[in-house]
Amino acid sequence: MARTKDPAVRTLLIERAAHMLRTREPITLRSLVAGTSVSTMAVYTYFGGMDGVWKALRQEGFTRLAARFATVTMSADPVRDLTALVAAYLGNALDHPDLYRVMFDATFELEDLKAADATLEYLVQAAERGRKADRFRADIDPLELATQSWAIGHGLVSLVAGGPLPRRTLDYGAPMLTALFISAGDQPDSCHTSVQHGWMQPIPSGEERGREGTCG
């Protein structure tokens, strides 16, 4: 009878691989399990080998992003909600910088591409609600607006999470999103207010931002 897999072991190995990325340690079959209570066989049991570890690392990044998006409470204001999702994207990247870097490494396929695509769908739905509420023009493509919003967040946090720029660089996100949404048809006054409310969501989780006035 086959042994039941322990999800804690899988998580342990993923977390260790992410830590090794951060500390720039070479990741090999033996180094991955060194200092743990599991053997090299566990890598094959849970991932099918080292290629499977990299696939799992990529997937875990999107899994945690989806979990972060799920914590964003939707409101009656779709522009605020779309902004809050971008803020949550930044927070997830800052909380998990190692997994964030692996998420977009196309060297290895994702385990579940649809699950990864579902993360973008959170933003698409918010953009669609904005169009239906006449905050955005009727000719706006929700997927394109969601992708542009994602690109703003991705560009900023890529420069901060593991790059050369300081954390305050993220403050540029609010005016950039405001400009994007106004170009999509939103009224300037209501857009400024909505973006400010959405941007004030915590980035990273549990840390006070104190960034009033970044929209203005």
Side-chain angles (χ1 to χ4, degrees):
M1 183 175 180
R3 294 181 59 186
T4 302
K5 292 183 179 179
D6 182 356
V9 174
R10 187 178 189 277
T11 300
L12 169 68
L13 293 174
I14 289 175
E15 294 283 3
R16 174 157 172 74
H19 172 77
M20 293 175 74
L21 281 174
R22 181 171 65 250
T23 56
R24 302 183 183 276
E25 299 177 53
I27 303 178
T28 65
L29 185 63
R30 292 189 179 278
S31 66
L32 181 60
V33 301
T36 71
S37 59
V38 300
S39 67
T40 54
M41 184 56 64
V43 177
Y44 293 97
T45 300
Y46 289 88
F47 304 102
M50 288 303 297
D51 282 0
V53 172
W54 291 109
K55 289 181 180 180
L57 275 171
R58 285 196 72 196
Q59 197 71 49
E60 185 68 15
F62 284 100
T63 297
R64 296 191 186 190
L65 177 59
R68 186 62 167 262
F69 280 165
T71 68
V72 178
T73 302
M74 296 293 100
S75 70
D77 183 344
V79 177
R80 172 267 175 202
D81 296 346
L82 182 52
T83 303
L85 287 167
V86 175
Y89 178 85
L90 302 186
N92 181 73
L94 294 174
D95 285 345
H96 309 292
D98 310 311
L99 290 175
Y100 174 72
R101 283 190 286 271
V102 178
M103 284 170 66
F104 303 102
D105 182 355
T107 304
F108 297 93
E109 296 180 358
L110 287 163
E111 293 178 326
D112 185 351
L113 182 59
K114 290 183 178 180
D117 289 342
T119 55
L120 178 59
E121 187 63 21
Y122 279 90
L123 281 72
V124 174
Q125 290 301 315
E128 173 66 15
R129 287 172 50 224
R131 186 175 68 172
K132 289 181 177 178
D134 295 325
R135 296 291 298 271
F136 303 132
R137 294 192 310 273
D139 64 344
I140 289 296
D141 183 341
L143 175 59
E144 289 186 4
L145 185 58
T147 302
Q148 290 166 347
S149 302
W150 184 307
I152 288 173
H154 182 75
L156 286 172
V157 82
S158 294
L159 292 170
V160 172
L165 298 185
R167 183 72 61 89
R168 64 178 179 272
T169 304
L170 299 178
D171 288 336
Y172 296 130
M176 291 172 73
L177 289 173
T178 300
L180 172 64
F181 299 154
I182 290 175
S183 73
D186 202 14
Q187 295 300 308
D189 288 345
S190 56
C191 187
H192 278 279
T193 300
S194 296
V195 170
Q196 184 174 32
H197 289 167
W199 197 249
M200 293 309 297
Q201 299 304 300
I203 301 186
S205 58
E207 179 175 308
E208 293 294 331
R209 288 179 50 76
R211 291 176 177 172
E212 291 83 353
T214 55
C215 297

